[in-house]
Amino acid sequence: MKGVLVTVFSLLISYMGMAKDIETLSPDKNLKLNVSVDDDVSMQVYMGTDLLFEVKDIHLDTDHGLVPTRRAKVRSVNRSSVDRIVVPEIKEKFSEIPEKYNETLITFKDKSKLQFRVYNEGVVYRFITDLEGDVVINDEHAEFIFDQSSILTFQQDSSMNSDYEAPYIVKNISEIEQGKTGNLPALLQTPSSVNVLFLESATEDYPCMWLGKGEENLQAHFWNYPKGYNSIKGNSKNRRAILVCEDYIARIKGSRSFPWRIFAIGKQETDLLTNQLVYLLAPECKLEDTSWIKPGWVTFDWWARRGLYNVDFKAGINTETAKYMIDFAANFGIRYFLFDDGWTYKEDLTRTIDGLDMPEVVQYATSKNVDVMLWVTYDLFDSQMDEALHQFEKWGIKGLKIDFINRSDQEVVNFYWRAAEQAAKHKMVLDFHGAYRPDGLRRAYPNVLTREALVEFEQNGGTYKDNPDHHCTLPFIRNVAGPMDYIPGTLNNATKQSFRFNHDTPMGQGTRAHSIALAVITESPMQMLPDPQSDYYREEECTRFLTKIPVEWDETVPLKGKVGDYVALARRSGNVWYAAAITDWTPRNMDLDFDFLDEGREYTMEILKDGVNADIRAIDYKREIVKIKKGDQIHLSMVSGGGWIARIY
């Protein structure tokens, strides 16, 4: 890890018996964690004197019995504090991340441990076990007790073969039916308007946690280890779907640490926009050399080949089409060109279809300073990993998009880690689709640049799910877990009234300014352009503005926001700032303060904003150049589904 250790101290307190209450404060003393050890282990989290929530009956159910045991005896309590700066390999939100927390490590007489940390930004815990041999985890238990009127926002889902693309539901806890489940991140907003976001990190060799509704409260939920698959019917997109499960969730080594359970806490909704707990709690980088990992924009052929025009070749999956798209990437400084579905000969990842000369394409791309990526399915890649990676490296491939994983059990979690490790050996970056949300893998293997786990732009081909309300939700929930491959920047923009389904050339819901602003609002070190390259050539002014937007950021400053309604933030890359704002389907006026700029300097601000007729024709935008300095305020007027974005230099 790159980082500077500022303060570390520890204090060991010995207990021989019951420890009724063990208290830990956040460094700023605004949050308090109280751990109770009695018949079971429970915790209460306070903001000031207000109880935010409780977690009751924290334990593992194993073939060795309950861990910790009922009426557990505390052997010792170790307290420590850390204050340091972490320098990430890939700059998602910041070039430097402060990490400051107070920790309490409780060791029980059965040798199990519970590790708690209290940050200014939240509270976390995890199990540590010291058991001999292999251990079967039947279940992991925790009951999360919030005021029943608290509002829950999460992707409600009931499938162990989830694609993690369910739309967010928003309901009071009391309105969630018993037995309903949903995946993380999940946002709880208390009656006092405090925001608690459920997350997890360091999910290695263990299934992902979901939330389920018990008789009254929320509780931890896990999908069991797979036993039988849909291996006879179908193709590589659904062949790994689980049909039958074992009666346990994991089989593990008995001596290990477990994933972190994270409760990110923000008094204001905008506090969540800069939360970095998932990254900070992840394993440190396992790669000695990361200089080859290149974030960047991507142009790809999935929708693009279906909508090309003004060309003298038949568009499709062929060498001519690929070279045209590579030329486009070179013209606009785009790092990657991606072959999506359809490039393989049948199900052989080492061969291409007729008409596609991969060595010629890659050689041509290299001459243009463009790197080539390939789309593969989980089933084919997992079964052909070694031979495929060797062939890809021989061709000169620099990245993979792995799709249709659609699970989050222990077996598939291990696939993510294996794929990341093996791809890194061949110096290839990764983008996971049909994927569960980020859990810190990208810190251990920074070549994992982004992943899906959301309703993204492609849903516009046949649903209404990817709308401005959704766009105004993502930054507060999904993006807090880590980078997301939303695919912003369509120039095929539609109002709520004019939006229509077209899978081959999807429309985007919202205005042109809204769509381009999403390239700043949505966070990913790898951003993809959805439209045919012909469209981007036709709209060169917007394309130049869009493809200049960085994908790494030295600083992020939240400006305004309300979950599902609107969001505005500023991001800095080097000496250049970008500020962006979007609204839901409600037209909105907003005043933005530019206090984040340096004192004593005058800046030029290039603006793209909703045109005067954008409420009728969503492609209407206006470009302006103005001067701006620290302390100035700008008034924005956004139409329904509108947006505003500025480059400040």
Side-chain angles (χ1 to χ4, degrees), residues 84 99 101-105 114-119 123-128 140 184 198-204 206-207 209 222 256-263 277-283 437 439-440 443:
R84 62 185 170 191
E99 182 175 32
Y101 62 82
N102 293 325
E103 178 177 292
T104 298
L105 179 65
L114 274 169
Q115 187 175 14
F116 300 88
R117 290 180 184 173
V118 186
Y119 295 76
V123 175
V124 307
Y125 76 88
R126 70 173 173 182
F127 297 93
I128 300 174
E140 177 183 332
L184 306 184
F198 283 73
L199 300 154
E200 66 177 343
S201 187
T203 314
E204 184 177 4
Y206 201 77
M209 189 179 89
F222 299 86
R256 62 164 291 176
S257 58
F258 285 68
W260 287 101
R261 309 294 168 222
I262 302 174
F263 308 92
L277 290 181
V278 172
Y279 185 89
L280 291 172
L281 290 159
R437 70 288 172 280
D439 60 351
R443 185 178 183 186

Side-chain angles (χ1 to χ4, degrees), residues 296-298 328-329 331-335 516 519-520 527 529 536 540-553 571-574 576-578 606 608 623 625 645-649:
W297 280 91
V298 183
F328 167 78
N331 288 339
F332 289 93
I334 295 168
R335 179 170 295 281
I516 295 176
V520 173
Q527 295 276 31
L529 295 171
Y536 289 114
E540 185 165 347
E541 182 175 72
C542 288
T543 305
R544 293 287 178 197
F545 189 100
L546 177 64
T547 55
K548 280 184 181 178
I549 297 173
V551 296
E552 287 190 279
W553 303 101
R571 299 188 195 267
R572 179 178 61 82
S573 175
V576 178
W577 283 93
Y578 281 82
E606 179 185 5
L608 293 185
R623 178 176 176 267
I625 303 290
I645 180 170
R647 179 173 181 263
I648 309 164
Y649 54 92

Side-chain angles (χ1 to χ4, degrees), residues 572-643:
R572 179 178 61 82
S573 175
N575 294 322
V576 178
W577 283 93
Y578 281 82
I582 58 172
T583 183
D584 58 5
W585 286 128
T586 303
R588 200 174 303 277
N589 293 317
M590 184 183 295
D591 292 322
L592 292 187
D593 294 319
F594 286 76
D595 293 334
F596 54 85
L597 297 176
D598 289 340
E599 189 74 58
R601 300 181 65 185
E602 185 178 61
Y603 294 81
T604 298
M605 184 159 68
E606 179 185 5
I607 300 169
L608 293 185
K609 65 181 184 178
D610 292 335
V612 67
N613 294 307
D615 59 331
I616 300 170
R617 191 77 191 276
I619 63 172
D620 188 29
Y621 73 93
K622 184 176 182 181
R623 178 176 176 267
E624 291 181 340
I625 303 290
V626 300
K627 297 296 183 180
I628 192 81
K629 63 182 184 301
K630 183 181 179 68
D632 285 350
Q633 187 179 80
I634 295 288
H635 178 77
L636 315 184
S637 181
M638 295 180 285
V639 303
S640 173

Side-chain angles (χ1 to χ4, degrees), residues 59-67 136-141 249:
H59 70 265
L60 299 170
D61 178 359
T62 81
D63 62 346
H64 287 54
L66 299 187
V67 178
V136 173
I137 306 295
N138 300 317
D139 201 3
E140 177 183 332
H141 188 270
I249 67 170

Side-chain angles (χ1 to χ4, degrees), residues 332-351:
F332 289 93
I334 295 168
R335 179 170 295 281
Y336 294 101
F337 164 66
L338 165 69
F339 281 108
D340 213 280
D341 187 13
W343 66 268
T344 60
Y345 176 75
K346 296 183 178 180
E347 294 192 342
D348 186 350
L349 294 181
T350 67
R351 297 177 62 188

